[in-house]
């Protein structure tokens, strides 16, 4: 007989969390917005291997959603999330209400710098300031030794790494490779929005990245051409893929690379399928 999963302790306020944190040793934080899926399980597993205690935060952060985005309909599944955390051996779930996280108007926010104003930052103005502000607050509240994020949000991970370095947070940031469903779709809490036809259409994103990766010996121009070709076809499929951007960037600066770039790069895509905006990426070495 296997041992029953142990339910994590739940903290709802910074004060409750501080009391619990005082009793924990080396701690790893997995910041999430809930609706946990297999990608999050991978983050939690990576956290468990790096610390004595694992804290998962569950907070749908209003500050990182723009007007007209999906803050209100973002999936919320707290009881399921608690079960997932129990199965994965999470010690503490920190799930503050908006009022506990933002008791007054948030007048001071974290500026993501130039890297936060391109690509996702250009399509979603204010998004990375919202992400960095909540991550900075979570770091102050949880005081983790290690924090684990998915490489699926590659630009977010790069901007967080830069904040930790430039503002001397003293937290080790770990990036975990993207988890994909068997058909190639990157796991995302937003995948639940997709109808069956849209889900089929959405597979063009990972197919485009794969085509780009397969063309990596041909250099930046060949990579982008190969990926663009797949996306062009997908634009006229049953559930059309409306491209927001396709870009090949330097893995550290997120500046678009020139035709003669050598070294680490990331091929990124963002697109809308129906009313759902999806992002995906693949790391490449040129
Ligand atoms: O990646 C996410 O789920 C969110 O952007 C994060 C890092 C939890 C901040 O709200």
């Amino acid at each position: 007989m296997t041992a029953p999963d142990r339910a994590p302790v739940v903290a709802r306020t910074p004060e409750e969390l501080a009391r619990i944190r005082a009793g924990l040793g080396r701690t790893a934080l997995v910041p999430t917005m809930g609706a946990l899926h297999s990608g999050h399980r991978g983050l939690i597993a990576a956290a468990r291997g790096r610390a004595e205690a694992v804290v998962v935060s569950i907070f749908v952060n209003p500050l990182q959603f723009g007007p007209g985005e999906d803050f209100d309909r973002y999936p919320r599944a707290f009881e399921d999330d608690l079960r997932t955390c129990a199965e994965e051996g999470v010690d503490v779930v920190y799930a503050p209400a908006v009022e506990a996280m933002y008791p007054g108007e948030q007048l001071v926010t974290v500026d993501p710098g130039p890297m936060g104003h391109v690509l996702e930052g250009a399509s979603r103005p204010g998004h990375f300031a919202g992400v960095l502000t909540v991550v900075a607050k979570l770091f102050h509240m949880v005081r983790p030794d290690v924090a684990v994020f998915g490489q699926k949000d590659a630009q977010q991970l790069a901007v967080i790494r830069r904040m930790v370095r430039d503002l001397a947070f003293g937290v080790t940031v770990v990036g975990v490779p993207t988890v994909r469903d068997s058909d190639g779709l990157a796991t995302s809490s937003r995948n639940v929005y997709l109808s069956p036809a849209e889900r089929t259409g959405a597979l063009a994103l990972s197919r485009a990245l794969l085509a780009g990766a397969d063309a990596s010996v041909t250099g930046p121009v060949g990579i982008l051409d190969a990926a663009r070709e797949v996306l062009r076809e997908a634009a006229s499929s049953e559930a059309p893929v409306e491209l927001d951007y396709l870009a090949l960037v330097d893995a550290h600066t997120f500046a678009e690379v020139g035709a003669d770039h050598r070294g680490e790069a990331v091929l990124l895509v963002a697109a809308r399928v129906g009313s759902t905006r999806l992002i995906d990426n693949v790391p490449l070495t040129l």
Side-chain angles (χ1 to χ4, degrees):
M1 212 174 98
T2 52
D5 304 320
R6 192 169 43 86
V9 178
V10 178
R12 291 286 188 179
T13 64
E15 295 73 24
E16 277 172 28
L17 177 68
R19 270 195 301 278
I20 297 163
R21 176 66 180 97
L24 304 177
R26 183 177 161 80
T27 296
L29 169 66
V30 182
T32 81
M33 297 204 300
L36 303 179
H37 49 67
S38 54
H40 293 112
R41 288 184 191 264
L43 303 184
I44 295 167
R48 246 194 353 249
R50 286 174 169 83
E52 288 153 355
V54 174
V55 177
V56 169
S57 63
I58 297 180
F59 180 66
V60 185
N61 173 33
L63 225 58
Q64 69 188 74
F65 289 79
E69 290 190 355
D70 57 344
F71 174 72
D72 288 332
R73 73 168 184 142
Y74 195 85
R76 288 158 173 90
F78 189 66
E79 291 308 318
D80 289 347
D81 290 347
L82 273 190
R83 260 191 300 278
T84 302
C85 287
E87 284 164 18
E88 296 301 323
V90 170
D91 300 281
V92 180
V93 167
Y94 180 42
V98 172
E99 302 70 39
M101 204 64 192
Y102 299 117
E105 191 185 348
Q106 186 76 27
L107 293 179
V108 176
T109 57
V110 180
D111 184 332
M115 220 195 312
H117 297 294
V118 296
L119 303 164
E120 280 304 282
S123 293
R124 305 182 65 190
H127 172 65
F128 286 120
V131 169
L132 291 188
T133 301
V134 81
V135 170
K137 291 185 89 160
L138 288 168
F139 283 179
H140 290 313
M141 291 172 180
V142 179
R143 291 183 292 106
D145 299 279
V146 178
V148 181
F149 298 88
Q151 284 171 5
K152 153 108 183 348
D153 295 296
Q155 192 177 1
Q156 166 175 285
L157 177 59
V159 173
I160 289 170
R161 282 192 196 284
R162 192 69 205 208
M163 174 183 79
V164 165
R165 183 175 131 185
D166 288 357
L167 299 183
F169 269 88
V171 174
T172 302
V173 174
V174 174
V176 174
T178 303
V179 173
R180 297 181 181 282
D181 290 337
S182 55
D183 56 9
L185 188 69
T187 57
S188 162
S189 304
R190 291 190 167 96
N191 291 351
V192 297
Y193 299 152
L194 298 168
S195 70
E198 287 168 350
R199 198 192 148 92
T200 303
L203 296 178
L205 273 71
S206 52
R207 273 207 317 278
L209 296 176
L210 196 63
D214 282 347
S216 61
V217 288
T218 62
V221 175
I223 292 169
L224 286 166
D225 283 350
R228 207 173 285 119
E229 184 52 35
V230 173
L231 293 164
R232 208 186 339 261
E233 275 173 32
S236 50
S237 70
E238 186 191 339
V241 173
E242 282 171 55
L243 184 63
D244 180 352
Y245 60 78
L246 171 73
L248 185 64
V249 302
D250 179 287
H252 303 288
T253 62
F254 269 71
E256 298 210 27
V257 302
D260 55 356
H261 179 82
R262 293 289 170 272
E264 286 177 60
V266 188
L267 181 61
L268 305 150
V269 63
R272 201 170 277 284
V273 184
S275 61
T276 307
R277 189 169 180 281
L278 299 169
I279 58 172
D280 198 356
N281 71 85
V282 64
L284 300 174
T285 304
L286 305 187

